[in-house]
Amino acid sequence: MMQIINKYSHNHKACVDYFFNMKWPTGFYCEKCGCVHYYFLENRNVFECAKCGHQHYLFARTIFQDNKLPLFKLILGLYLFFSANKGCSAIEMASQLNVNYKTALKLCR
Ligand SMILES: [Zn+2]
């Protein structure tokens, strides 16, 4: 747990990489043109294809599509969820992440 916090809490790039690797396990590719080169627009968490300019949002078509939480809290939430033996308690998640119960419940699902 401390490892996760140390690695991601103040490192936005590391957080982005985490989700990048989930979205593109074999590296970036553009679903429009197949190009593998991109520009990263950091303030919007968008990957823009270097060839056709198509923009790929980090969370597009993932379970986090409507997420408003900081990336770090999501990573921590995932960690808590997958490291828990008997699944995840939303109450515990809420207190660990310092988010409200409703948000925690959504994460757990
Ligand atoms: Zn493209």
Side-chain angles (χ1 to χ4, degrees), residues 28-37 48-56:
F28 175 88
Y29 66 91
C30 174
E31 61 201 35
K32 292 272 179 214
C33 73
C35 177
V36 295
H37 302 287
E48 185 178 284
C49 173
K51 198 171 164 191
C52 74
H54 184 72
Q55 298 194 332
H56 305 73

Side-chain angles (χ1 to χ4, degrees), residues 2-55:
M2 276 316 285
Q3 259 181 320
I4 305 274
I5 293 172
N6 288 340
K7 183 167 178 195
Y8 294 109
S9 62
H10 298 293
N11 191 339
H12 182 70
K13 183 65 173 53
C15 293
V16 170
D17 285 347
Y18 181 95
F19 290 105
F20 180 93
N21 290 331
M22 261 168 55
K23 190 175 169 70
W24 292 293
T26 56
F28 175 88
Y29 66 91
C30 174
E31 61 201 35
K32 292 272 179 214
C33 73
C35 177
V36 295
H37 302 287
Y38 64 91
Y39 305 111
F40 178 50
L41 311 177
E42 184 163 348
N43 51 348
R44 290 160 58 210
N45 291 332
V46 165
F47 296 86
E48 185 178 284
C49 173
K51 198 171 164 191
C52 74
H54 184 72
Q55 298 194 332

